[in-house]
Amino acid sequence: MQLSLKWLKDYVDLRCSIKEYCHRMTLSGSKVEGFSEQKLDFVVIGQVKNMEKHPNSDHMFITQIDIGESELLQIVTGAQNVNIGDFLPVATIGADLPNGLKIKKSKLRGVESNGMLCSLSELGLTKNDFPYAIEDGIFIIDPKDLGANSENSPIGKNAAELLGLDDVSVEFEITSNRPDCLSVIGLARETAATFNTIYSVEEPSFKGVSGENNLSVTIQNSEKCKRYCAGLVKNVKIEPSPRWMRERLKSSGVRPINNLVDITNYVMLEYGQPMHAFDLRFVDGEKIVVRDAFDGEKIMTLDGVTRELSSDMLVIADATHPIGIAGIMGGEHSGIMPDTNTVVFESAYFEPISLRKTAKKLGMRSDASSRYEKGVDPKISLTCLKRAFELVELLGAGEVIDEIIDVDYTQATPACVSSNKNLPLSTSGFCDSQEILNFSNKIPLYLDAEWTNDFLGTNISEKDMVDYLERLDFTVVTKGTIFERGKITVPSFRIDIESKADIAEEIARLYGYDNIQSTKLRGVAEAEFTNEQKFIRTVNTICSAVGCNEIATFSFISPKELDKICLPIDSKLRNTVKISNPLGEDTSIMRTTTIPSMLEIIAINNNNRNLSGKFFEIGKEYIPTSPDTLPKELDRLTIGCYGETDFYILKGIIETLLEKIGILKTVYNTPNGEFEEQIALHPYRCAVIGAKISQNPDDKKFIPLGIFGQIHPNVAKNYDFDTPVFVAKLEIDTLLQLSKNETIYKSIPKFPSITRDLALVCDEKITSYQLETIIKKSIGSIFESISLFDVYRDQKLGENKKSLAYSIVMRSPDSTLTDDLADKAIAKTLKNISELANIR
């Protein structure tokens, strides 16, 4: 909803900045998306005082323009519609026009030009805004639009102000439960309530003329149309609307067309009530019948499309055929034409659900239907018709017949009255149905200050609560019997108010959500994550932090997936839970290992030419127990990577994870049957991760945490991998049991470190882990870190020999470490290492 602030100020005395207005309206529940204000800095009104032919051009002129300064402004123009004495908009040096043009001093064919004479488009305008102007020339302004006279000269004044381009348009996001705010008056009401000021809306009235009115209205479906008001305007004059109306429509995002169409749009924007006007010539029999369409019945709508209707749709018909789809769009011949003489104005209430279904079925949506779909106040139908007739007389657009038809089923007793004369009509205007309807279905509500404060967590006085509600046009009984006191009358336009919680919300938003103190939820158990849930979230965060993308796969797989990872026929992992009614063979068993699921995801990414990837999943494995019991559901962390990666990168990811969760003492061993999946891994490029049990470095016992490595070449072939792929599987339950929550902080070292590089030649069978363990133990308390930076193999070293190069960092926590002490530590290290066979 676009709101013109100029229009708003007709109803509310608003005195604040636009930013404050937007901020406070948003806090009170009317969310502002933004605002736009058209500025025309350095654009003024000028008058042509002299003009002559350009000496170097056959189509350009040199003009002298009076802009209220001591000297005339020389501007070169190619426009052919400019004459001496014309008033026009002048963009002076420094102007930044809406079309993106920036005005600078220039020379045209050798003659200096100090500005530009503006056209409509250069000011962001169209012919609809100023119908008398031409589109392909300079905008020559009618002196009447400038208020120019002998006492008031517009020369030199800001063009934006005189041309009505200084309005501010505020964009509101109106939720579907607040259709009352889809109008200027609705937002004026909210503005007055927010700023605690008065808003006033005058009751519309019109004089009317006596005349023959043979129009009749019949509602055949009073469930879908509860009210229909209609009246006639004769001797209409089709012409452009006055400038003030065009400006307001433009600021509200509606294009001006002509006076009668603009009146219906103006009333819709002002009150939120859609309206339509029919040419009486095309209303056969001068009868309007609101009825259900016939199956297969067709109508050509105003957009030129022929639409086929069905019996669940409501139409506005005459004596013979439909002339409009109720609340959505009129028929082709129902629109206003240049030769139209007599017009039927309608203002009605249509049931929202039925209208929404019709609009969706026909694929049509208009400003009118969007308002009807959300719900329109049925009590303003007659008021809006009077407002339209008031504008007709104000604009001199025609003569209003003073007899109005109002077929009203919203009251307890259906009635049709002449709303202007307050006299009954002829029987042609009475309702045919005797059905008694009660449109007001609101449950009586009472103000309970104690309950409201308890509900909101506030301490608002009852007096303030009443004040907030009355600002919003609610009425609250403050005196009377115990049964009457506190009774709330909800205004008809607030269709969203149904319970005392809604009343509390109205109080809260005017009291100020920012004034309500934060409190814990009451009346419910205070829930929190379990230790397992917290741990899984931590693991998830760490894996994401090291560059892995989370995946989610199905827990049921195909038996063929176990074949693809080369599991033996007698493997325990082939004992699976079978699904009794699977969707297909591909989802027929519950997985006993998560590795096939990870390999499938890697295969998909690889086939889609993603050159590399790192993935992780925390999923379940289902291990059968007995036929009568449910399987064990075990949480597993699976990590997979390919492309720009290798065995050591995957090992680094695992080490980072274990370090962050507090498992610091780990070992890496050759698999020895701890995990069935080792058959799917390369026999010489895989390892079991374990957590050391004993503090004794000589104790080799460990608790298996998982397995990782490069997949076996046969498995790679089954998945059509053309690049090395690495996977890891870790047991979440075991990690949780061994993890430590406490974080150990170390102070920044005060003393410098010493680095020594050590290259060792050893047998192939000796692992780097064995050597690192000896080095750490030998150096003792001054050991800080060790890193393997080179592995070298050559025949010169000997058969089955390799060279491992380490960088060792040593630092004393108490004093500066000397070279002598560092050399002794290295010597001791070499002595201990030499005790292993064939190390030098």
Side-chain angles (χ1 to χ4, degrees):
M1 172 70 188
Q2 286 184 227
L3 175 67
S4 161
L5 281 196
K6 279 189 176 180
W7 198 347
L8 175 72
K9 290 177 181 179
D10 282 356
Y11 311 106
V12 182
D13 184 16
L14 185 65
R15 299 180 183 180
C16 67
S17 68
I18 180 61
K19 291 185 177 180
E20 181 186 355
Y21 176 73
C22 295
H23 174 69
R24 292 185 62 178
M25 288 297 288
T26 298
L27 285 181
S28 68
S30 302
K31 183 183 177 184
V32 175
E33 289 290 306
F35 66 90
S36 60
E37 46 186 342
Q38 186 173 357
K39 292 184 178 180
L40 289 177
D41 295 333
F42 300 102
V43 180
V44 298
I45 301 299
Q47 187 177 32
V48 181
K49 292 298 184 180
N50 188 27
M51 59 186 300
E52 59 185 22
K53 281 276 189 178
H54 194 296
N56 301 320
S57 173
D58 58 357
H59 70 281
M60 300 179 76
F61 296 91
I62 303 172
T63 63
Q64 303 298 324
I65 310 297
D66 182 3
I67 60 170
E69 296 183 353
S70 57
E71 296 183 0
L72 297 179
L73 192 67
Q74 178 172 294
I75 295 177
V76 179
T77 180
Q80 304 299 307
N81 66 319
V82 176
N83 296 291
I84 294 176
D86 286 345
F87 290 98
L88 32 69
V90 179
T92 60
I93 304 301
D96 193 352
L97 299 180
N99 67 348
L101 189 63
K102 295 183 179 180
I103 306 304
K104 301 177 181 178
K105 183 181 289 188
S106 61
K107 283 188 177 182
L108 298 176
R109 300 282 181 92
V111 176
E112 187 176 276
S113 182
N114 298 305
M116 188 179 77
L117 309 181
C118 300
S119 65
L120 285 173
S121 61
E122 288 159 345
L123 297 177
L125 300 170
T126 67
K127 192 172 174 61
N128 290 316
D129 300 307
F130 291 90
Y132 61 80
I134 63 174
E135 291 184 309
D136 56 351
I138 298 301
F139 178 21
I140 307 301
I141 307 172
D142 188 335
K144 294 179 181 178
D145 274 334
L146 300 174
N149 52 50
S150 58
E151 298 178 356
N152 181 28
S153 173
I155 295 175
K157 293 184 178 179
N158 185 280
E161 295 179 4
L162 296 182
L163 296 177
L165 301 177
D166 56 341
D167 198 0
V168 179
S169 181
V170 182
E171 180 73 26
F172 284 90
E173 179 189 336
I174 307 299
T175 53
S176 58
N177 67 319
R178 292 299 307 274
D180 58 298
C181 290
L182 287 170
S183 64
V184 177
I185 290 176
L187 289 172
R189 185 186 302 112
E190 289 293 313
T191 300
T194 299
F195 289 85
N196 195 17
T197 186
I198 298 173
Y199 85 100
S200 59
V201 180
E202 295 182 4
E203 183 67 24
S205 63
F206 63 95
K207 296 178 181 178
V209 297
S210 60
E212 186 177 357
N213 185 355
N214 295 324
L215 184 70
S216 68
V217 175
T218 303
I219 299 178
Q220 292 185 358
N221 190 331
S222 57
E223 287 291 336
K224 295 181 180 178
C225 178
K226 289 185 168 64
R227 192 171 193 181
Y228 194 99
C229 303
L232 293 179
V233 178
K234 65 179 183 178
N235 299 325
V236 299
K237 299 175 183 177
I238 309 300
E239 57 187 10
S241 300
R243 178 179 151 186
W244 62 268
M245 180 175 281
R246 299 196 306 268
E247 288 176 0
R248 292 187 175 187
L249 292 176
K250 177 181 173 65
S251 294
S252 302
V254 175
R255 180 172 59 91
I257 299 175
N258 60 53
N259 51 1
L260 291 186
V261 175
D262 290 350
I263 285 172
T264 60
N265 287 331
Y266 190 91
V267 174
M268 179 180 70
L269 292 170
E270 188 175 36
Y271 283 86
Q273 168 70 56
M275 297 190 68
H276 191 66
F278 298 98
D279 191 328
L280 186 62
R281 291 177 300 175
F282 302 105
V283 181
D284 288 352
E286 297 190 8
K287 293 182 179 180
I288 289 181
V289 182
V290 185
R291 62 170 174 81
D292 293 330
F294 305 129
D295 284 325
E297 193 170 25
K298 294 182 179 181
I299 180 175
M300 180 176 286
T301 48
L302 283 171
D303 56 3
V305 178
T306 299
R307 305 180 189 275
E308 186 172 330
L309 308 175
S310 58
S311 59
D312 58 344
M313 301 177 183
L314 193 70
V315 297
I316 310 299
D318 56 22
T320 58
H321 61 281
I323 58 175
I325 304 173
I328 300 177
M329 190 176 290
E332 180 186 24
H333 299 295
S334 68
I336 305 303
M337 303 179 185
D339 60 343
T340 297
N341 180 265
T342 305
V343 171
V344 180
F345 277 82
E346 78 162 21
S347 177
Y349 175 84
F350 300 112
E351 195 273 326
I353 296 176
S354 171
L355 190 138
R356 181 165 58 248
K357 290 179 179 179
T358 299
K360 185 175 181 180
K361 194 170 183 178
L362 294 175
M364 303 173 67
R365 206 155 193 275
S366 59
D367 285 341
S369 68
S370 66
R371 283 173 164 79
Y372 276 126
E373 287 175 12
K374 295 175 178 65
V376 174
D377 182 5
K379 291 189 177 181
I380 64 169
S381 298
L382 182 59
T383 301
C384 292
L385 186 62
K386 289 182 178 181
R387 175 58 170 160
F389 288 162
E390 183 180 52
L391 290 171
V392 168
E393 292 184 342
L394 180 64
L395 272 57
E399 300 175 355
V400 181
I401 304 298
D402 60 1
E403 196 173 60
I404 295 178
I405 300 173
D406 181 11
V407 183
D408 188 1
Y409 279 90
T410 65
Q411 306 301 320
T413 304
C416 296
V417 296
S418 169
S419 300
N420 200 39
K421 292 184 175 181
N422 203 24
L423 295 173
L425 290 177
S426 62
T427 54
S428 63
F430 276 84
C431 306
D432 294 331
S433 172
Q434 296 301 315
E435 179 184 11
I436 295 178
L437 299 174
N438 183 8
F439 185 81
S440 179
N441 57 0
K442 300 291 184 184
I443 299 172
L445 297 174
Y446 290 84
L447 178 61
D448 186 337
E450 183 179 352
W451 180 91
T452 302
N453 277 322
D454 185 61
F455 181 71
L456 296 176
T458 56
N459 188 26
I460 307 171
S461 68
E462 184 175 345
K463 181 181 177 181
D464 288 341
M465 291 184 185
V466 173
D467 177 58
Y468 296 148
L469 293 174
E470 289 180 345
R471 282 199 230 168
L472 296 166
D473 282 359
F474 291 72
T475 58
V476 184
V477 178
T478 57
K479 298 179 181 180
T481 66
I482 190 173
F483 300 104
E484 295 174 343
R485 192 174 185 278
K487 186 175 181 180
I488 299 171
T489 301
V490 179
S492 59
F493 54 81
R494 291 303 303 273
I495 62 174
D496 59 313
I497 304 298
E498 297 179 347
S499 67
K500 59 182 180 180
D502 296 326
I503 297 296
E505 181 185 5
E506 297 302 299
I507 293 170
R509 67 190 186 90
L510 288 191
Y511 174 71
Y513 292 120
D514 52 330
N515 294 323
I516 300 176
Q517 297 296 323
S518 299
T519 57
K520 289 185 177 181
L521 289 175
R522 292 167 294 169
V524 296
E526 293 188 6
E528 62 179 20
F529 291 113
T530 64
N531 290 333
E532 182 180 6
Q533 290 171 328
K534 292 178 181 178
F535 181 74
I536 289 176
R537 289 166 69 89
T538 300
V539 171
N540 193 309
T541 301
I542 296 170
C543 290
S544 298
V546 296
C548 296
N549 297 302
E550 185 177 10
I551 64 171
T553 59
F554 291 119
S555 296
F556 32 83
I557 62 174
S558 168
K560 294 179 181 178
E561 295 297 318
L562 302 180
D563 296 334
K564 292 176 75 172
I565 65 169
C566 301
L567 277 183
I569 299 299
D570 58 349
S571 173
K572 295 178 181 179
L573 297 181
R574 288 189 178 272
N575 180 22
T576 60
V577 177
K578 297 178 176 57
I579 300 173
S580 59
N581 58 340
L583 297 175
E585 185 185 4
D586 290 344
T587 56
S588 59
I589 63 171
M590 304 300 290
R591 66 186 178 194
T592 53
T593 173
T594 55
I595 288 181
S597 300
M598 176 59 71
L599 294 179
E600 283 292 335
I601 296 299
I602 293 176
I604 291 172
N605 280 270
N606 187 49
N607 292 338
N608 287 332
R609 299 183 181 179
N610 293 323
L611 300 180
S612 64
K614 297 184 181 70
F615 310 97
F616 78 95
E617 179 185 22
I618 300 176
K620 292 186 180 294
E621 293 178 345
Y622 299 83
I623 309 301
T625 52
S626 66
D628 299 328
T629 58
L630 293 173
K632 292 181 180 178
E633 298 184 23
L634 305 176
D635 287 314
R636 298 289 186 254
L637 169 63
T638 314
I639 302 173
C641 51
Y642 74 100
E644 298 175 0
T645 187
D646 57 28
F647 179 89
Y648 295 103
I649 289 178
L650 179 57
K651 180 174 179 284
I653 292 173
I654 297 169
E655 288 178 336
T656 301
L657 170 65
L658 297 178
E659 179 185 350
K660 295 298 181 182
I661 63 176
I663 302 177
L664 304 178
K665 295 186 176 181
T666 56
V667 295
Y668 297 87
N669 276 8
T670 303
N672 191 25
E674 294 91 348
F675 297 93
E676 294 272 336
E677 292 95 334
Q678 76 178 62
I679 194 69
L681 301 179
H682 195 294
Y684 304 114
R685 298 174 188 172
C686 66
V688 168
I689 316 132
K692 294 189 66 174
I693 300 175
S694 173
Q695 297 295 328
N696 184 357
D698 297 326
D699 191 345
K700 305 299 183 182
K701 294 181 180 179
F702 65 90
I703 299 174
L705 302 176
I707 189 171
F708 75 100
Q710 182 177 340
I711 66 168
H712 197 283
N714 293 337
V715 177
K717 185 177 180 181
N718 292 336
Y719 285 93
D720 295 328
F721 289 139
D722 53 4
T723 183
V725 175
F726 302 86
V727 294
K729 191 188 87 169
L730 291 89
E731 297 179 345
I732 290 290
D733 295 338
T734 307
L735 295 178
L736 174 60
Q737 293 174 10
L738 298 176
S739 65
K740 296 180 181 179
N741 292 326
E742 68 270 11
T743 302
I744 299 174
Y745 293 93
K746 293 182 179 180
S747 60
I748 298 174
K750 297 180 180 180
F751 304 101
S753 63
I754 292 179
T755 303
R756 292 285 189 270
D757 291 344
L758 198 61
L760 304 171
V761 179
C762 62
D763 292 338
E764 281 283 1
K765 65 180 181 180
I766 295 177
T767 66
S768 176
Y769 174 76
Q770 290 176 290
L771 295 177
E772 288 183 14
T773 301
I774 295 173
I775 293 172
K776 293 177 185 178
K777 183 179 178 180
S778 301
I779 294 178
S781 62
I782 62 173
F783 172 83
E784 183 169 290
S785 66
I786 182 172
S787 60
L788 175 69
F789 65 85
D790 185 47
V791 178
Y792 176 71
R793 293 178 176 86
D794 193 272
Q795 291 294 333
K796 296 178 180 179
L797 297 176
E799 189 176 356
N800 294 324
K801 295 289 185 179
K802 61 183 177 183
S803 173
L804 303 178
Y806 295 94
S807 178
I808 304 168
V809 178
M810 294 172 285
R811 190 194 308 266
S812 172
D814 305 320
S815 60
T816 301
L817 186 64
T818 63
D819 287 337
D820 183 56
L821 188 58
D823 292 340
K824 288 180 179 179
I826 293 298
K828 181 180 179 182
T829 299
L830 293 174
K831 179 182 177 183
N832 292 337
I833 289 176
S834 65
E835 294 178 359
L836 288 174
N838 299 320
I839 297 182
R840 64 182 186 275

